[in-house]
Every structure is written in structure tokens, then in C-alpha cells.
Amino acid sequence: GIQVEQSPPDLILQEGANSTLRCNFSDSVNNLQWFHQNPWGQLINLFYIPSGTKQNGRLSATTVATERYSLLYISSSQTTDSGVYFCAVGGASNSGGSNYKLTFGKGTLLTVNP
Amino acid sequence: KAGVTQTPRYLIKTRGQQVTLSCSPISGHRSVSWYQQTPGQGLQFLFEYFSETQRNKGNFPGRFSGRQFSNSRSEMNVSTLELGDSALYLCASSLWDRLEAFFGQGTRLTVV
């Protein structure tokens, strides 16, 4: 199956700093999503970005599908940005049936200090 | 538009018991999938349902089962609970497969 690697595993920032989180995947994908897991465990959708670039406020993401990686940029970090960020990918289906599922990376634990 | 709703939010069970978790997808969404999250294994895919049919199953023992009803609501069942089944169980729904998935708040199961 598809392998997903996220880096760095841990990141500590001062409030106001910028950061880049990376997601590498091992095969062609037709779905790539970035999530932020809140303290109660819910996965909050940040971006659905199988290819291209998107921006939402202080966050932006870029996926280069041909090179099998995606980047999540966080600018002007705030303490509320703290938490675990997950990248999840859905592989291209085999012919004749659906093998859809999301494969998650291990996440990046972001800590933003005041 | 209401999000994905999972019930119950928290559950404590004893080894050997069975448990049923429920998931109501976003209105109009037909694909429902389940994931288990543990500190050791991370987020792992359990199964995916579409129009009441299980289309994909992860690498979990047969004690883990599920179903989807005609209104797209889904349940998962774990029989003969083991301590290692303690986890956060997350349900996701999407309009169609391979499209953006939205997750519920999860059910935190503790097996004692």
C-alpha cells in the first residue's frame, strides 16, 4: 500500500514564526488532505489538495503530485495553531473496483509558545 | 449543514463484552469509512461502506464488523473486546469516494 511520511515529527515555534510541514507519499494519489487534530480528537479539515496550491488565511498548501509531496505552510503562528497536523492520501483505484481509503502519516506535533 | 455525528462520545467496556458505535454522515453523503487511532499505531483504516455495501476492509480481525443502512448511517461493532481495542474510533463521510472526507468527533473507547 501507499506509504506516507511526514516531517518533522515535532516542531516548536515562538508565536509569530512561520513553518513548513512536509508530506511525502510513495505512489500516485487521487486525494490528499491536510487535517488539524483538536485537543478533543476531532480531525478538522484544512485542505483538500490532490494537486496545485490553495490558501486559506494564514495557511496555504501545495501538492506536487508528479514529485509525490505536499507542503503545508503556516504563517504568523498563533498558540491556537498548536496540535497535531496530519496528511492523508487516497490512492488511485485499481481497475474494476474501489480500493478507496485514506492512508495517514504519523503527523507533526506543532507547539507554538507565547 | 450538520456535520458527521458519532455516538456515543465516550464508552467504557469490560474485556469480553461487545460494543456498537454509530455514525451519521453529512446529509447526502453516501460513503462512510471508519478509522481507529491509537498512540502506537496511529490512524488506521477499518472499513468503508457505500450504498450499504462494504467495499474495502483494513487489516483488522473479524471481531471488527460494520454495516451501513439505507439512509447512509453506519454502525461498527467490536465483539469480544480486548484491552488493545482501547482507542479513538473516527468516522468519516464523503459525497462520493475519492472526494473530500469529513470526520466526526470520534468515540473514545476504553476497555478495562
Side-chain angles (χ1 to χ4, degrees), chain A residues 9-90:
Chain A
D10 299 278
L11 187 58
I12 300 175
L13 301 172
Q14 287 300 119
E15 204 166 23
N18 302 329
S19 61
T20 301
L21 281 58
R22 187 177 180 100
C23 172
N24 292 333
F25 44 95
S26 62
D27 207 342
S28 301
V29 299
N30 50 33
N31 182 358
L32 190 145
Q33 293 186 241
W34 283 97
F35 298 94
H36 179 208
Q37 190 164 38
N38 69 19
W40 298 273
Q42 186 172 10
L43 292 171
I44 306 300
N45 288 43
L46 298 176
F47 293 101
Y48 168 69
I49 187 165
S51 64
T53 298
K54 291 186 177 180
Q55 180 159 6
N56 184 5
R58 296 182 297 103
L59 273 61
S60 63
T62 296
T63 297
V64 183
T66 53
E67 297 187 22
R68 298 181 184 168
Y69 74 88
S70 182
L71 302 174
L72 176 68
Y73 305 96
I74 304 174
S75 64
S76 305
S77 302
Q78 301 176 357
T79 55
T80 52
D81 294 333
S82 296
V84 183
Y85 290 79
F86 287 102
C87 168
V89 303

Side-chain angles (χ1 to χ4, degrees), chain A residues 30 33 37 45 93 99 102, chain B residues 35 37 56 98 100-101 105:
Chain A
N30 50 33
Q33 293 186 241
Q37 190 164 38
N45 288 43
S93 174
N99 66 347
L102 286 175
Chain B
Y35 295 82
Q37 186 177 26
N56 200 6
R98 305 181 192 86
E100 187 174 10
Q105 292 178 300

